[in-house]
Amino acid sequence: MTDDGSASNRRNPIKSSVGNVAGQRRRQQAVTVAKERRELLVRAKRLCRVGTNGSDQDAHVENEMMIDEEQPVLEAQTSKAVEELKSAVQYQGKGAVQKKVTALRELRRLLSKSEFPPIDAALSAGAIPLLVQCLSFGSPDEQLLESAWCLTNIAAGKPEETKSLLPALPLLIAHLGEKSSAPVAEQCAWAIGNVAGEGEELRNVLLSQGALPPLARMIFPDKGSTVRTAAWALSNLIKGPESKAAAQLVRVDGIVEAILRHLKKTDEEIATEIAWIVVYLSALSDIATSMLLKGGILQLLVERLATSNSLQLLIPVLRSLGNFFSVDPKAMLTILIGGQNTEENLINVLAKCLRSEHRVLKKEAAWVLSNIAAGSIEHKRMIHSSEAMPLLLRLLSTSPFDIRKEVAYVLGNLCVESAEGDTRPRIIQEHLVSIVSGGCLRGFIDLVRSPDIEAARLGLQFIELVLRGMPNGEGSKLVEGEEGIDAMERFQFHENEELRVMANSLVDKYFGEDYGIDE
């Protein structure tokens, strides 16, 4: 199997009607979710306030409040601290090591004190070359730890500040190895995670310098804090948009087994970071997807979904499930263990997510259901007969736009059998009648009126199903009654040719000169 990271072979979009178009979005979603993830839950770059050695001697700084007037003072102190470090690095006399550690600790304290650390002051004073020098092999652990800690917080700054770490990257990567102590390796992983979180350019630099293999091996042991930090850094490193990092990660011996093992454990913080790795692997690497499925990851994800109340964990679990179902929905019946009623359990748990007060959970649950609904007729029937249906119908009319669009994919996919290429899908009339009777048509027509091209296309596709598939030709009356003709006529001179042709063709075919003449 080739591993080009392409999702286009997974579900070819059906152009003439609602079908399995959600699958095409899988890779696109993998890229955009990186930004959403960090805005909603955790920053892509994390400031380190308490050290990886477990010391809480400076934990009080987290509670200190900095006000604007204090920032100039903090910057002046930082410039002075860098000068002190410069002097300590040059000093060769008795107590030289302790002098460096003391200077490093003071600089680190200042860089950890504020929500907006005085990074620019540190860089302007020449901190980076000094910190790189203090990272040299053979240095005491305390010195290495303080140096890496300073670099971690500098990397948590603005893009140009993060890029200043380029000279330090080779040593930070080298200290990920087994020869380094666990606290030092973890702190270096944290710094690398911040660099990787900045963007694709720096991720490529890290990959070219060999950061991925030693970082991956750090999640093999059962060392809680180290695994959590390394997994977070890995998820930043592989998150795309290119698939090469994901493909490289899955080739590391033992990585799939480590991922599965950590997902089984009860530590939700570790499971959260591991689940984000799964999100990107399942979105960007065909080989990784296949290996994870063979390892039984679906059951683990469903169990996590059913038992956890952690929003931070549930979101990547839902995203991963959606990715796996978009691979080949028809094959899911054979992959899932039918004797355990895993699918029914999954759909019931997804229904609970649809009831959640958290908007992002509703959206992610609808995303998963849209991929399941694009699969086999068995999957469609399972959703249609579940407790999720009334929730979906209500969400289509009452939810924010992004959730309504995901719900529309679910409902639309339930009404058609999957088709390939340009074949017009066969309508499942029983589902269509039931869903339209549930009052969803108004919601789809509202999508037609939206400025979002994808949503408007989805609305037009569903109108086509109603016009073509409702019994006794009642589709036309239903569409007219919900002011669907007016909604479609707005595309009469629309700049988007596809939507213009689609809307005009529907109006001409079903509401032409002979419409209503027999009444």
Side-chain angles (χ1 to χ4, degrees), residues 258-456:
I259 289 172
L260 296 172
R261 187 178 74 252
H262 288 305
L263 275 179
K264 290 179 183 177
K265 294 186 177 297
T266 57
D267 189 311
E268 289 201 335
E269 291 186 359
I270 291 177
T272 297
E273 302 302 348
I274 294 291
W276 279 111
I277 294 177
V278 176
V279 168
Y280 298 122
L281 286 178
S282 59
L284 298 170
S285 170
D286 292 345
I287 293 176
T289 300
S290 176
M291 293 173 69
L292 289 167
L293 285 173
K294 289 178 181 177
I297 196 168
L298 285 178
Q299 287 81 6
L300 295 177
L301 293 173
V302 173
E303 288 169 10
R304 283 290 185 179
L305 192 62
T307 58
S308 176
N309 293 316
S310 167
L311 179 65
Q312 285 80 5
L313 174 57
L314 291 176
I315 290 173
V317 166
L318 283 166
R319 176 65 53 160
S320 298
L321 284 168
N323 286 346
F324 285 121
F325 271 96
S326 72
V327 171
D328 185 358
K330 294 180 180 179
M332 288 300 108
L333 281 174
T334 57
I335 292 175
L336 290 168
I337 302 175
Q340 296 181 350
N341 295 320
T342 308
E343 290 139 314
E344 289 91 338
N345 290 339
L346 172 59
I347 292 171
N348 289 338
V349 174
L350 290 173
K352 292 180 182 178
C353 293
L354 293 177
R355 295 190 191 95
S356 170
E357 62 183 16
H358 297 291
R359 170 175 171 167
V360 68
L361 275 190
K362 294 178 182 177
K363 180 179 178 181
E364 294 295 334
W367 152 255
V368 178
L369 284 167
S370 72
N371 285 340
I372 298 174
S376 67
I377 187 67
E378 290 87 353
H379 283 113
K380 297 174 191 292
R381 288 171 179 163
M382 205 171 293
I383 295 175
H384 184 259
S385 62
S386 75
E387 58 188 273
M389 279 306 299
L391 299 171
L392 291 166
L393 292 170
R394 179 171 56 82
L395 289 171
L396 185 64
S397 61
T398 62
S399 296
F401 175 76
D402 56 341
I403 297 176
R404 286 191 286 123
K405 190 162 76 169
E406 290 297 341
V407 168
Y409 272 112
V410 183
L411 296 174
N413 282 331
L414 290 178
C415 295
V416 293
E417 291 191 16
S418 301
E420 297 181 359
D422 293 328
T423 305
R424 189 165 70 166
R426 190 179 74 82
I427 294 173
I428 306 173
Q429 191 177 68
E430 177 189 356
H431 290 184
L432 178 64
V433 171
S434 171
I435 289 171
V436 171
S437 299
C440 76
L441 185 54
R442 165 63 65 177
F444 278 98
I445 290 174
D446 286 343
L447 291 181
V448 173
R449 293 193 176 95
S450 78
D452 184 281
I453 295 298
E454 182 184 359

Side-chain angles (χ1 to χ4, degrees), residues 135-155:
L135 272 181
S136 59
F137 275 93
S139 302
D141 271 8
E142 193 174 8
Q143 177 180 315
L144 294 172
L145 185 63
E146 295 289 351
S147 303
W149 192 340
C150 291
L151 289 166
T152 296
N153 286 356
I154 290 173

